[in-house]
Amino acid sequence: METRITKLLGIEYPIFQGGMAWIAESTLAAAVSNAGGVGIIAGGSAPIDYLREQIRRAKSLTDKPFGVNIMLMSPNADDLAQLVIDENVPMITTGAGNPGKYMEAWNNAGIKVIPVVPSVALAKRMERSGASAVIAEGTESGGHIGENTTMCLVPQVVDAVSIPVIAAGGIADGRGIAASFMLGAEGVQVGTRFLAAEECQIHPTYKQLVVDAKDTDSIVTGRYTGHPCRNVKTKFSKKLASGEANGTITPDEFEQITLGSLRKAVQDGNLDEGSFLCGAIAGMVKKVQPAKEIVEEMFAEAEKLLNR
Ligand code: TUI
């Protein structure tokens, strides 16, 4: 499974763990890196001191490469952009925006920058700004999403840029990896399946919701706020969706109601007020298992398929 991504980062398997806000911390990231992939610590909108500690903790748990995700809508994105330079983080991913204004400083610091892109246009801009690769993320993903699907977006991005492309959105087994490679990707990013990793520190209620989810159990809310978000269908997310559809919740009220809802899901397992973000592939995640087993199982299956 050698690709330009494994060579670029010095890793065994071309798999990134998604930089899931509030979820992806040092324990999970180190487990994925130790398994031969790339673990990612989520910057989200966490305080800088907490993130510094998480980066240092990951360094103590693994000597393999790991990265940090910078969520560009975060109010402290500027501070986090500097923190990754100060802490000598070798690679970063970005999401929820255009990281253009930071690219020069990161490139000068020798950081490998791999932005999430929801479109061909942004992929081309990122290549011109010096990105090492891009993650083409389809609307099947969990959390904040773009409009295009993985199947449509990945090959178009592959055709448009010369840097390696990582596919994301709807990938949870070896078939997803093999399909991504057929579309021209040289790596995958996986979020939802790692929610069910033993090392993932989310509330047990959250994990169980993912394991129990069936194919129709994800729902997109908040399109009218400009920040569409894919979640597990719960009473809370269904109430938001119907308020959005019938006009009984205004976009401003929606933002108020969902403020802090991710923390309520991740830390408290609060089914009444929490947003349990997950991808559309949650229905395929059937059990909790160690991150290493997830990575090895996925690549054993992919290699078998690709060798056929
Ligand atoms: O970022 C994600 N997923 C996320 S972030 C998140 S936390 C959050 N909190 C409050 C509001 C919104 C999010 C939960 N899930 N995935 C990567 C991603 N990036 N998806 C879509 C994009 C994206 C969208 C627009 C990337 C670039 C972009 O550029 C627009 C531009 O300015 O050109």
Side-chain angles (χ1 to χ4, degrees), residues 68-300:
V68 170
N69 174 261
I70 299 187
M71 208 277 277
L72 294 160
M73 278 171 47
S74 162
N76 64 0
D78 286 354
D79 294 340
L80 185 50
Q82 185 58 44
L83 178 72
V84 292
I85 296 174
D86 297 342
E87 293 295 314
N88 294 314
V89 172
M91 65 84 69
I92 58 176
T93 62
T94 66
N98 179 347
K101 70 169 177 170
Y102 305 118
M103 291 298 284
E104 193 181 333
W106 288 334
N107 286 332
N108 288 341
I111 297 176
K112 296 181 179 87
V113 185
I114 309 189
V116 168
V117 295
S119 67
V120 165
L122 192 59
K124 285 163 114 170
R125 262 159 70 189
M126 292 299 98
E127 178 173 48
R128 282 198 302 272
S129 309
S132 299
V134 287
I135 302 169
E137 187 184 281
T139 195
E140 296 91 326
S141 299
H144 178 55
I145 47 172
E147 291 292 342
N148 215 341
T149 62
T150 305
M151 181 80 107
C152 297
L153 180 65
V154 171
Q156 294 185 76
V157 172
V158 167
D159 287 346
V161 297
S162 309
I163 52 177
V165 177
I166 292 151
I171 302 161
D173 69 2
R175 290 171 297 182
I177 297 175
S180 300
F181 277 54
M182 290 295 110
L183 298 176
E186 296 182 56
V188 294
Q189 175 167 283
V190 170
T192 301
R193 184 141 181 210
F194 285 122
L195 290 174
E198 272 174 14
E199 297 87 348
C200 183
Q201 308 283 303
I202 55 176
H203 194 280
T205 299
Y206 196 156
K207 246 180 225 190
Q208 201 57 45
L209 275 176
V210 173
V211 168
D212 290 345
K214 57 181 187 311
D215 58 339
T216 52
D217 281 341
S218 88
I219 186 167
V220 178
T221 56
R223 276 216 160 83
Y224 67 166
T225 66
H227 309 130
C229 195
R230 189 181 296 281
N231 321 244
V232 182
K233 251 184 211 169
T234 59
K235 242 196 294 186
F236 178 63
S237 59
K238 282 195 274 191
K239 196 174 73 187
L240 288 173
S242 65
E244 180 177 354
N246 61 28
T248 52
I249 302 176
T250 66
D252 278 354
E253 285 166 347
F254 184 99
E255 298 278 24
Q256 279 306 312
I257 298 168
T258 53
L259 198 70
S261 63
L262 182 51
R263 188 200 64 73
K264 287 177 187 164
V266 172
Q267 292 186 345
D268 308 337
N270 182 341
L271 287 164
D272 298 320
E273 297 176 347
S275 295
F276 296 82
L277 308 190
C278 80
I281 201 72
M284 221 161 70
V285 178
K286 294 289 180 228
K287 62 177 180 202
V288 174
Q289 57 191 142
K292 186 173 164 62
E293 206 174 285
I294 294 175
V295 171
E296 288 175 356
E297 219 175 84
M298 287 181 71
F299 277 93

